[in-house]
Amino acid sequence: MEQAPCISQIASLLAEPKRTAMLWALMDGSAKSSQELATLTGLSPASANAHLARLTGGGLLRVEARRGKRLFRVAAADVSTAIDALASTTMASAARSSPQASPLTLAAPAPLRHARLCHGHLGGELAAQLYQRMIAAGWIERHELRTQVTVKGAQHLAGLGIFTQALALPLVCDCFDWSQQQPHLGGALGAGLLQLFLQSNWIRAVNESRALLVSDTGLAEITRLAVPDAL
C-alpha cells in the first residue's frame, strides 16, 4: 500500500461542502473575488478567505491580481476534469442507490450547462439536442443498449468530412449528460464532431474550464446539423 497515490489530501479539501461550492461556481472558467464567493456560498468574508487559502494552498485554485483585486480561478484543467467526473459519479451513484427516486439535479453555471468538454467529446445542452436531432433524422439509431450510425448518417457525416469507416472503435456510444438528464454522443464519432467544431472555430475552450464558448456562427451551424431540411 506504500505505493498507493496519496489522494486523501485532495479528497479532504473536496469533502467540505462550502469549498466544493466555491469550486463549482468557478467551473465556468470565471475568476471571482473572495467577496463574490462568500456571497455565493453564504459565508462570512473571514470564513470564505480561510477556505480559499486552503484551496489555493492545495493547488486547486490560483490567484490573479487584477486592478488591485485578488481574484480566484480554477488552477488547471485537471481540477475541472476531476470536479466534472465527481458530478457524473454523483448522478450515477444516486441512480444506483435509489433507482425509483426522481433523478438528482445539479445546478451548474449556465455556460457549463450549455456546452462543455466531456471525455473528449461535446457535452451539455447543445450536445444533447444534437443527439436527439441525429436520431430523429435517422443518422443514428438505438437497438436496446446499442447505438449505431446508419448508412444515411454515414453519408451525411462524410459530407462534413467525417468518414466513419476511418474512425476508431467504439465508433459511437451513449454518454449520459448529468446536466440534461439525457444522453449525448460519445465514442470516436463524438470526438470527431468536437474536433470539427473546434477546427471550424464554432466553439472554443474557456481558460481551464470544461465550459466551451459557442460563437453565433457556431450555434447556427451546429443547430442546422441533422435537421429535416438537411435530409
Side-chain angles (χ1 to χ4, degrees):
M1 291 301 292
E2 291 80 3
Q3 303 303 317
C6 184
I7 62 174
S8 58
Q9 180 181 1
I10 298 301
S12 67
L13 288 173
L14 297 176
E16 203 325 290
K18 294 298 185 181
R19 289 198 286 270
T20 55
M22 289 178 168
L23 286 165
W24 194 244
L26 297 170
M27 281 286 284
D28 59 356
S30 61
K32 291 181 171 61
S33 67
S34 60
Q35 292 86 350
E36 290 177 285
L37 291 167
T39 300
L40 285 169
T41 54
L43 289 169
S44 68
S47 294
N49 283 326
H51 285 303
L52 289 167
R54 292 200 61 183
L55 290 170
T56 304
L60 298 181
L61 294 181
R62 59 184 170 89
V63 182
E64 294 181 355
R66 190 183 303 171
R67 295 180 181 177
K69 282 188 175 183
R70 295 174 74 247
L71 301 179
F72 295 86
R73 188 189 294 279
V74 170
D78 61 270
V79 178
S80 295
T81 300
I83 301 299
D84 188 78
L86 286 172
S88 297
T89 302
T90 297
M91 301 293 292
S93 61
R96 288 191 296 268
S97 60
S98 303
Q100 305 304 320
S102 298
L104 182 67
T105 57
L106 294 177
L112 208 64
R113 294 196 307 271
H114 182 54
R116 66 178 180 276
L117 289 171
C118 179
H119 305 295
H121 55 261
L122 180 66
E125 179 185 24
L126 195 63
Q129 291 174 349
L130 176 59
Y131 178 93
Q132 293 301 323
R133 289 199 308 275
M134 291 177 77
I135 286 181
W139 288 26
I140 58 175
E141 56 187 15
R142 300 176 69 184
H143 296 287
E144 297 179 351
L145 298 178
R146 183 182 177 189
T147 304
Q148 63 185 27
V149 180
T150 64
V151 173
K152 179 188 293 185
Q155 292 172 343
H156 282 283
L157 290 164
L160 298 172
I162 298 176
F163 300 96
T164 55
Q165 68 272 22
L167 297 178
L169 297 176
L171 174 59
V172 61
C173 62
D174 288 2
C175 182
F176 187 74
D177 196 300
W178 55 259
S179 68
Q180 302 302 309
Q181 296 293 305
Q182 57 182 304
H184 58 244
L185 201 63
L189 177 56
L193 285 168
L194 174 63
Q195 289 305 308
L196 170 65
F197 301 160
L198 288 168
Q199 291 168 6
S200 301
N201 293 319
W202 296 347
I203 60 176
R204 63 179 176 85
V206 182
N207 299 315
E208 292 81 12
S209 173
R210 305 291 284 175
L212 294 168
L213 185 63
V214 185
S215 68
D216 291 340
T217 298
L219 180 61
E221 293 294 338
I222 296 171
T223 303
R224 191 176 294 129
L225 292 177
V227 296
D229 289 343
L231 296 179

